[in-house]
Amino acid sequence: MIRPAELIQRKRDGEELSAEELSELVLGYTRGEVPDYQMAAFCMAVFFRGLSRAETFALTDAMVRSGDTIDLGAALGRKVVDKHSTGGVGDKTSLAVGPIVAACGVPLGKMSGRGLGHTGGTLDKLEAIPGVRTELTLDEYVAQVREIGVAIIGQTGDLVPADKLLYGLRDVTATVDQPSLIAASIMSKKLAAGAQAIVLDVKVGDGAFMKSIEDARQLAETMIAIGRDAGREVVCLLTDMDQPLGAAVGNALEVREAFDTVRGDGPPDFTELVLDACAKLLALSDLGIDEAEGRRRAESAVADGSAVERWQRWIEAQGGTADESALPVAAVIHELRAPRAGYVSRLSAIRVGLAAVHLGAGRRTKEDEIDHAVGVVVRAKRGARVEEGDVLAEVHARTSSEAEVAAAEVLDAYEVQDAPVEERPVLLEVVT
């Protein structure tokens, strides 16, 4: 049996650990033989020292082997696709992409996680829908992808239990934004859940774990390498996260916005990213089409209502109420107004994200309960012209006092200038 303290010390001192050592550490932690405090210390050592490519793959492989795996392609007799984001503020993309891709005849199976730090988790958003189950058995997961064409589930005790444990630990020990740990977490879920082709959305900027395009590119290349070593097709989109994606930040608010987008009424930046991701997933599928045709088919599924129909079938299959009027609503809605006229030159994603966390939309400790109703809706984004007194954002809160505190935080996220602001696309780069 390895001595965890020895591995922590060696990694702290910059040594490279073997695949066997990393495997024993991860599997020991999963079995409860390595306590949280030692694994937290190991994550902090990795945060400062990093992992080599070989170590990163070994960590990912050990996390996959901590539980069951599934070959969705063999189970369905089809090529199954998946989409994942590294986490951002207002990023509800998977909720819209899944039913659109399924409506185009391509099965999508996805295993997701919960919120980390200021970023929202897909499972937390889904669970804002009354009745939704995210903990499906493997048999239920396979059956739903076969019958409905889309399933988004959490890590059950059988699938990647090591990542489920580490995910929550990293969130409360300031070890979230480390490239190898992010890559291992994401790719372990992708490999275990069984998709053959994966589109990864790597966020870049103020509200992302990767602050620079160079760091985002490094993370993308790391995940692509893990995927290739495991025999999977992987494409990475590097996308802007200097400001929130779309307008809604907060669980029920984001579900509403995702549904609006599936029926063709979403914000322009969010709609563009959703269609980009759909086009790439459809081009990677077994339909034998290129990206241009994939984009056309995704737009058609939204326009003819088949994506909405698939959304409703998906939500109901997981026990949820597809009627958006059933979503929880905050007791207080406070309008934040512009203190001066001009153009919005900056809207800090991380400040908006933290304001939402402080309202209760995210977790500050591992045990925190999510309030699905609260959050922020930004009404003026970067480049928008505003007049004094125009609504910049809405704060959805439990109490008036909480709303006022959050409104001050959101106001600090805004900068307004006299001159017009140059537009910047959501999609910055594609890495293959």
Side-chain angles (χ1 to χ4, degrees), residues 70-78 80 102 105-109 136 138-151 310 313 317:
I70 184 168
D71 186 344
L72 274 178
L76 273 66
R78 289 285 310 277
V80 179
V106 172
L108 183 146
L136 274 61
L138 289 182
D139 288 343
E140 289 172 328
Y141 175 56
V142 173
Q144 186 174 312
V145 176
R146 179 186 294 114
E147 294 166 16
I148 309 298
V150 57
R310 196 59 60 111
R313 290 179 60 198

Coordinates of all heavy atoms in Angstrom, one line a residue, residues 70-78 80 102 105-109 136 138-151 310 313 317:
I70 N -19.1 2.2 -19.9 CA -20.2 1.8 -20.8 C -19.8 2.1 -22.2 O -19.2 3.2 -22.5 CB -21.5 2.4 -20.4 CG1 -22.6 1.8 -21.3 CG2 -21.5 3.9 -20.5 CD1 -24.0 2.2 -20.9
D71 N -20.0 1.2 -23.1 CA -19.8 1.5 -24.6 C -21.1 1.8 -25.2 O -21.8 0.8 -25.6 CB -19.1 0.3 -25.2 CG -18.7 0.5 -26.6 OD1 -19.2 1.5 -27.2 OD2 -17.9 -0.2 -27.2
L72 N -21.5 3.0 -25.3 CA -22.8 3.4 -25.8 C -22.9 3.0 -27.3 O -24.0 2.6 -27.7 CB -23.0 4.9 -25.7 CG -23.6 5.4 -24.3 CD1 -23.7 6.9 -24.4 CD2 -25.0 4.8 -24.1
G73 N -21.8 3.2 -28.0 CA -21.9 2.8 -29.4 C -22.3 1.4 -29.6 O -23.1 1.1 -30.5
A74 N -21.7 0.5 -28.9 CA -22.0 -1.0 -29.0 C -23.4 -1.2 -28.5 O -24.1 -2.0 -29.1 CB -21.0 -1.8 -28.2
A75 N -23.8 -0.5 -27.4 CA -25.2 -0.8 -26.9 C -26.3 -0.3 -27.8 O -27.3 -0.9 -27.9 CB -25.3 0.0 -25.6
L76 N -26.0 0.8 -28.6 CA -27.0 1.3 -29.5 C -26.8 1.0 -30.9 O -27.7 1.2 -31.8 CB -27.0 2.9 -29.3 CG -27.9 3.5 -28.2 CD1 -27.4 3.1 -26.9 CD2 -28.0 5.0 -28.4
G77 N -25.6 0.5 -31.3 CA -25.3 0.2 -32.7 C -25.2 1.5 -33.5 O -25.4 1.5 -34.7
R78 N -24.9 2.6 -32.8 CA -24.8 3.9 -33.4 C -23.6 4.7 -32.8 O -23.1 4.4 -31.8 CB -26.0 4.8 -33.1 CG -27.3 4.4 -33.8 CD -27.4 4.8 -35.3 NE -27.0 6.2 -35.5 CZ -27.8 7.2 -35.4 NH1 -29.1 7.0 -35.0 NH2 -27.4 8.4 -35.7
V80 N -22.4 7.6 -30.9 CA -23.0 8.5 -30.0 C -22.0 9.7 -29.7 O -20.8 9.6 -29.7 CB -23.2 7.8 -28.6 CG1 -23.9 8.8 -27.6 CG2 -24.1 6.6 -28.9
A102 N -30.4 15.7 -30.9 CA -31.3 14.5 -30.9 C -32.4 14.6 -31.9 O -32.8 13.6 -32.6 CB -31.9 14.3 -29.5
G105 N -31.6 13.5 -35.3 CA -31.4 12.1 -35.5 C -30.0 11.5 -35.0 O -29.7 10.4 -35.3
V106 N -29.3 12.3 -34.1 CA -28.0 11.8 -33.6 C -28.1 11.7 -32.1 O -28.5 12.6 -31.4 CB -26.9 12.8 -33.9 CG1 -25.6 12.5 -33.2 CG2 -26.7 12.9 -35.5
P107 N -27.8 10.5 -31.5 CA -27.9 10.3 -30.1 C -26.8 11.0 -29.3 O -25.7 11.0 -29.7 CB -27.8 8.8 -29.9 CG -27.1 8.3 -31.1 CD -27.5 9.2 -32.2
L108 N -27.2 11.7 -28.2 CA -26.2 12.4 -27.4 C -26.4 11.9 -25.9 O -27.5 12.0 -25.4 CB -26.5 13.9 -27.4 CG -25.5 14.8 -26.6 CD1 -25.2 16.1 -27.4 CD2 -26.0 15.1 -25.2
G109 N -25.3 11.3 -25.4 CA -25.3 10.9 -24.0 C -24.2 11.6 -23.3 O -23.1 11.7 -23.7
L136 N -29.5 8.4 -12.8 CA -30.1 7.2 -13.5 C -29.1 6.1 -13.4 O -27.9 6.2 -13.3 CB -30.3 7.5 -15.0 CG -31.6 8.2 -15.4 CD1 -31.7 9.6 -14.8 CD2 -31.7 8.4 -16.9
L138 N -27.3 2.7 -15.1 CA -26.7 2.5 -16.4 C -27.7 2.0 -17.4 O -27.8 2.5 -18.5 CB -25.5 1.6 -16.3 CG -24.2 2.1 -15.6 CD1 -23.2 1.0 -15.7 CD2 -23.7 3.4 -16.3
D139 N -28.6 1.1 -17.0 CA -29.6 0.6 -17.9 C -30.6 1.6 -18.3 O -31.0 1.7 -19.4 CB -30.3 -0.6 -17.2 CG -29.5 -1.9 -17.1 OD1 -28.5 -2.0 -17.8 OD2 -29.8 -2.8 -16.3
E140 N -31.0 2.5 -17.3 CA -31.9 3.6 -17.6 C -31.2 4.6 -18.6 O -31.9 5.1 -19.5 CB -32.3 4.3 -16.3 CG -33.2 3.5 -15.4 CD -33.5 4.2 -14.1 OE1 -32.5 4.9 -13.6 OE2 -34.6 4.0 -13.5
Y141 N -30.0 4.8 -18.3 CA -29.2 5.8 -19.2 C -29.2 5.3 -20.6 O -29.6 6.0 -21.6 CB -27.8 5.9 -18.6 CG -26.8 6.7 -19.4 CD1 -27.1 8.1 -19.7 CD2 -25.6 6.2 -19.8 CE1 -26.1 8.8 -20.4 CE2 -24.6 6.9 -20.5 CZ -24.9 8.2 -20.8 OH -24.0 9.0 -21.5
V142 N -28.8 4.0 -20.8 CA -28.7 3.5 -22.2 C -30.1 3.5 -22.8 O -30.3 3.9 -24.0 CB -28.2 2.1 -22.2 CG1 -28.3 1.4 -23.5 CG2 -26.7 2.1 -21.7
A143 N -31.1 3.1 -22.1 CA -32.5 3.0 -22.6 C -33.0 4.4 -23.0 O -33.6 4.5 -24.1 CB -33.4 2.4 -21.6
Q144 N -32.7 5.4 -22.2 CA -33.2 6.7 -22.6 C -32.5 7.3 -23.8 O -33.1 7.9 -24.7 CB -33.0 7.7 -21.4 CG -33.6 9.0 -21.7 CD -33.5 9.9 -20.4 OE1 -33.9 9.5 -19.4 NE2 -33.1 11.2 -20.6
V145 N -31.2 7.1 -23.9 CA -30.5 7.5 -25.1 C -31.0 6.8 -26.4 O -31.2 7.4 -27.4 CB -28.9 7.3 -25.0 CG1 -28.2 7.7 -26.3 CG2 -28.4 8.1 -23.9
R146 N -31.3 5.5 -26.2 CA -31.9 4.8 -27.3 C -33.3 5.3 -27.7 O -33.6 5.4 -28.9 CB -32.0 3.3 -27.0 CG -32.6 2.4 -28.1 CD -32.8 1.0 -27.7 NE -31.5 0.3 -27.4 CZ -31.1 -0.1 -26.2 NH1 -31.9 0.0 -25.1 NH2 -29.9 -0.7 -26.1
E147 N -34.1 5.5 -26.7 CA -35.5 5.8 -27.0 C -35.8 7.3 -27.3 O -36.6 7.7 -28.1 CB -36.4 5.4 -25.8 CG -36.4 3.9 -25.6 CD -37.0 3.5 -24.3 OE1 -37.6 4.3 -23.6 OE2 -36.7 2.3 -23.9
I148 N -35.1 8.2 -26.5 CA -35.3 9.6 -26.6 C -34.3 10.3 -27.5 O -34.5 11.4 -28.1 CB -35.4 10.3 -25.2 CG1 -36.4 9.5 -24.3 CG2 -35.8 11.8 -25.3 CD1 -37.8 9.5 -24.8
G149 N -33.1 9.8 -27.5 CA -32.0 10.4 -28.3 C -31.1 11.3 -27.4 O -30.1 11.7 -27.9
V150 N -31.5 11.5 -26.2 CA -30.6 12.4 -25.3 C -30.9 12.0 -23.9 O -32.0 11.7 -23.4 CB -31.0 13.9 -25.6 CG1 -32.4 14.2 -25.3 CG2 -30.1 14.8 -24.7
A151 N -29.7 12.0 -23.1 CA -29.8 11.8 -21.7 C -28.6 12.6 -21.1 O -27.5 12.5 -21.6 CB -29.7 10.4 -21.3
R310 N -38.5 17.4 -28.8 CA -37.5 16.5 -28.2 C -37.1 17.0 -26.8 O -36.9 16.2 -25.9 CB -36.3 16.5 -29.1 CG -35.3 15.3 -28.7 CD -36.0 14.0 -28.9 NE -36.5 13.8 -30.2 CZ -36.0 12.9 -31.1 NH1 -35.1 12.1 -30.7 NH2 -36.6 12.8 -32.3
R313 N -39.9 15.6 -24.5 CA -39.8 14.2 -24.3 C -38.6 13.9 -23.3 O -38.7 13.0 -22.5 CB -39.6 13.5 -25.6 CG -40.8 13.5 -26.5 CD -40.6 12.8 -27.8 NE -40.2 11.4 -27.6 CZ -39.6 10.6 -28.5 NH1 -39.2 11.2 -29.7 NH2 -39.2 9.4 -28.3
A317 N -38.9 12.2 -19.7 CA -38.3 10.9 -19.5 C -37.4 10.8 -18.2 O -37.3 9.8 -17.6 CB -37.4 10.6 -20.7

